[in-house]
Amino acid sequence: MIELKTPAEIQRMHVAGRFVAEVLSEVGRLADVGVNLLDLEHHVRGMIKRRGAESCYWDYAPSFGRGPFRNVICLSVNDAVLHGLPHDYTLRDGDVLSADLAVSVDGWVADSARTVVVGTAAEEDLRIIRATEEALEAAIEVARPGNRLGDISAAIWAVAHDYGYPVNNEFGGHGIGRTMHEGPHVPNRGRAGRGLTLRPGLTLALEPWFARTTDRIVYDADGWTIRSADGSRTAHSEHTVAITEDAPLVLTRREPENPATRADSASRLSTKDA
């Protein structure tokens, strides 16, 4: 069932969205050479606990996973792109890290993802990250009353096509609100003018993700982490967006970041709240 949100309910989702944006900004600053994924996981646990929020991932057990997810953030490295299970891995120079986070604050959920390069960035990695970010902005731009769900999918697909990246349609965006996953499903490839008519109050998590040279995926032995089938590198960008009478409202927009604020060591990471 698709539930349209009132302006007051959208504002409550915006509270959750601002917190998600804050956490992902922090993860981007802390992701550095020598930082362990488990340290990032535990740091985010502490932030969630101090805020009085709830992780939407902890104990999440969908049909495609293996048992309940027992972490609060998805951290995917290089050819991994979705549902990355945080594990004992130390980030290296040139790694590509995708971080995906959904939390509930006072019963309302927001979901967002970003991809960053650790240390020295290769141009081809920056290019695929840029492609997902541009695809996301194109999708947000058409998320307006009277347009169709297919217009969003077509906008994402058009950017991917221009960059030369294939698109997998097994996982995409989704409705969001009181829970992390609501209707409708939002494919990252589709035809304009088709599908559900967009109405004010519809809230969506839009999330283009691409791999460089394949649209096929494989799962790690952990049953969660999804990788490109050919080992090519990946990127993932996501925002929670509310359709309003006026312009689309991005509920998880991050503040512009100053590179000078990036952490230069793992010393800022705290595990005391794990």
Side-chain angles (χ1 to χ4, degrees):
M1 185 175 68
I2 297 172
E3 177 187 12
L4 300 179
K5 312 324 187 277
T6 68
E9 290 170 337
I10 289 172
Q11 285 306 310
R12 293 178 70 182
M13 291 180 64
H14 204 170
V15 171
R18 285 192 288 266
F19 175 65
V20 168
E22 176 189 343
V23 175
L24 288 182
S25 291
E26 176 80 345
V27 170
R29 287 190 292 268
L30 292 171
D32 205 352
V33 177
V35 171
N36 193 287
L37 296 184
L38 292 179
D39 290 332
L40 288 174
E41 158 73 20
H42 286 289
H43 189 76
V44 174
R45 288 190 197 186
M47 293 184 74
I48 292 172
K49 181 179 179 180
R50 289 188 292 273
R51 179 59 178 79
E54 294 183 9
S55 168
C56 295
Y57 295 159
W58 191 268
D59 278 343
Y60 181 51
S63 59
F64 56 80
R66 178 177 297 170
F69 196 86
R70 300 308 299 269
N71 296 90
V72 300
I73 188 169
C74 296
L75 297 173
S76 307
V77 180
N78 294 334
D79 59 327
V81 64
L82 297 174
H83 311 152
L85 197 66
H87 60 286
D88 184 12
Y89 176 83
T90 299
L91 292 170
R92 304 167 183 171
D93 188 48
D95 276 348
V96 175
L97 174 68
S98 294
D100 190 353
L101 179 73
V103 301
S104 173
V105 176
D106 297 327
W108 293 93
V109 176
D111 188 3
S112 186
R114 66 179 304 196
T115 300
V116 298
V117 178
V118 176
T120 308
E123 176 53 39
E124 55 265 33
D125 293 331
L126 295 176
R127 184 176 188 270
I128 194 169
I129 293 171
R130 186 165 60 246
T132 62
E133 293 173 342
E134 290 181 10
L136 179 55
E137 292 303 321
I140 292 168
E141 177 59 30
V142 298
R144 299 174 182 270
N147 285 346
R148 300 272 187 160
L149 202 64
D151 296 325
I152 293 175
S153 302
I156 293 171
W157 164 242
V159 173
H161 183 267
D162 287 346
Y163 272 88
Y165 296 129
V167 175
N168 175 286
N169 248 7
E170 294 174 66
F171 292 92
H174 50 88
I176 188 171
R178 299 178 191 271
T179 61
M180 178 171 57
H181 285 139
E182 299 180 354
H185 173 64
V186 188
N188 285 331
R189 185 178 70 238
R191 297 179 62 182
R194 301 291 183 92
L196 178 77
T197 299
L198 307 180
R199 298 169 58 190
L202 183 62
T203 47
L204 303 169
L206 306 178
E207 50 179 317
W209 61 274
F210 309 143
R212 278 191 208 159
T213 54
T214 184
D215 61 0
R216 294 178 53 248
I217 57 175
V218 293
Y219 287 81
D220 274 6
D222 62 31
W224 283 101
T225 305
I226 294 177
R227 299 182 183 273
S228 62
D230 64 357
S232 59
R233 288 196 166 187
T234 62
H236 179 202
S237 295
E238 178 181 16
H239 275 311
T240 296
V241 180
I243 295 169
T244 73
E245 295 284 0
D246 301 313
L249 179 60
V250 180
L251 306 182
T252 50
R253 184 75 76 188
R254 297 183 298 278
E255 295 293 329
E257 296 176 6
N258 182 350
T261 65
R262 285 185 61 90
D264 59 1
S265 74
S267 61
R268 293 182 56 196
L269 296 175
S270 171
T271 60
K272 65 182 179 180
D273 296 307

